[in-house]
Amino acid sequence: MKKQLAVGVDIGGTNSVFGFVDREGKILARGRISTALHDSAEELVKVLCKEIRKLQQELGEESELVGVGIGAPNGNIRSGCIEFAPNLKWKGIVPVANYFETDLGCPATLTNDAKAAALGEMLFGGAKGLNDFLFITLGTGLGSGIVVNGELVYGHDGLAGEMGHAILIQNGRLCGCGRNGCVETYCSASGIRRTYLEKSCLAPDAKIDSKFIYEKALSGDRDAMDSFTLTGEWLGQALANSVTYTSPSDIFLFGGLAQAGELIFTPTRKSFEENLLNIYRNKIKIRPSHLAENEAPILGAASLAWKKVKHTNQYE
Ligand SMILES: [Zn+2]
């Protein structure tokens, strides 16, 4: 019998990564190409599919492609389109899932990268067996995947779960979405950077990143430590609010900022409990994601394909 494999593709602003993933969540082979070098989505997918076929041949043994899952900014599962992605070269609504299906001849499922990673956590990470949890990515922005009753929440138009754009502070920081005070302008790698720059009176274009702030905090720098505390306080508050909608058992934090460990987890948990409605107190766990930083995009995307297979098999 041929070995069944799913392909996971993550389309990012700079690079796109892809890999073959087995049913147990093991990445058997992987590759990467530049996203920015390609002017259109159609051209990008063509090159990706060529590379995927090449990789499949290199894998040697006979394999059967059960499907391809794609994680991308503003990816919509309902339409299979990337819709108005801010960090990609092409504009408008692009039928990316369709391009993959036509080229590879197998089912393709597309959703946004944070939702895909949440599914990866459920199938292959720390959320195995959990039915209700939140998955938060703290990268350049704040992405989220909401799982209720064992299913990702997509909403009527496929666009549910934009927790990063809930307004946290009235008339607060200007967000990339054009509004003010969104959660992600405070609780993200770029958010903590803004906080640190404000605290230490540095110019907005100062060449520092969240890793620099992390190292400063470790060395005992007051502004850096305060920046982590403040970020955690804001994040705890935002998460306490979000809990009222779906009552999750666990909240997973993923991404560069989450890797700061107790520097971010301790103030987040403290603020979370303080801001929670009493009926939710002391029973929701805020935990680090179990997915490795460099594997999550591929595993998450591939889990879209595996989920579809498992779902179909249930009804056979
Ligand atoms: Zn926003």
Side-chain angles (χ1 to χ4, degrees), residues 164-166 175-180 182-185:
H165 296 283
C175 182
C177 72
R179 302 175 311 145
N180 288 86
C182 290
V183 173
E184 75 171 28
T185 65

Side-chain angles (χ1 to χ4, degrees), residues 115-275:
K115 287 196 191 76
L119 201 57
E121 193 77 50
M122 184 158 68
L123 264 59
F124 306 128
K128 272 184 202 163
L130 297 182
N131 283 321
D132 299 274
F133 69 94
L134 302 178
F135 180 90
I136 310 287
T137 66
L138 300 166
T140 314
L142 184 151
S144 57
I146 301 168
V147 172
V148 175
N149 299 333
E151 293 290 336
L152 260 174
V153 174
Y154 287 108
H156 85 278
D157 55 0
L159 300 173
E162 289 292 343
M163 255 163 66
H165 296 283
I167 290 174
L168 183 67
I169 313 268
Q170 280 298 321
N171 303 315
R173 294 175 182 168
L174 180 63
C175 182
C177 72
R179 302 175 311 145
N180 288 86
C182 290
V183 173
E184 75 171 28
T185 65
Y186 298 88
C187 309
S188 63
S190 49
I192 196 170
R193 180 178 176 276
R194 282 165 90 165
T195 304
Y196 179 76
L197 294 178
E198 281 169 21
K199 283 210 146 288
S200 44
C201 302
L202 290 167
D205 60 352
K207 286 206 174 7
I208 62 148
D209 57 14
S210 55
K211 191 160 174 278
F212 172 89
I213 304 166
Y214 170 67
E215 277 155 12
K216 276 276 190 194
L218 284 186
S219 72
D221 179 276
R222 191 33 63 194
D223 286 341
M225 286 161 73
D226 287 351
S227 299
F228 272 101
T229 306
L230 258 176
T231 304
E233 284 171 2
W234 282 318
L235 182 58
Q237 194 186 335
L239 294 177
N241 283 337
S242 66
V243 157
T244 60
Y245 297 100
T246 65
S247 186
S249 63
D250 299 72
I251 299 174
F252 292 88
L253 303 185
F254 175 83
L257 201 50
Q259 289 189 336
E262 289 314 310
L263 271 174
I264 190 73
F265 276 89
T266 302
T268 302
R269 288 184 181 122
K270 181 166 179 282
S271 156
F272 179 68
E273 288 297 333
E274 282 168 4
N275 284 290

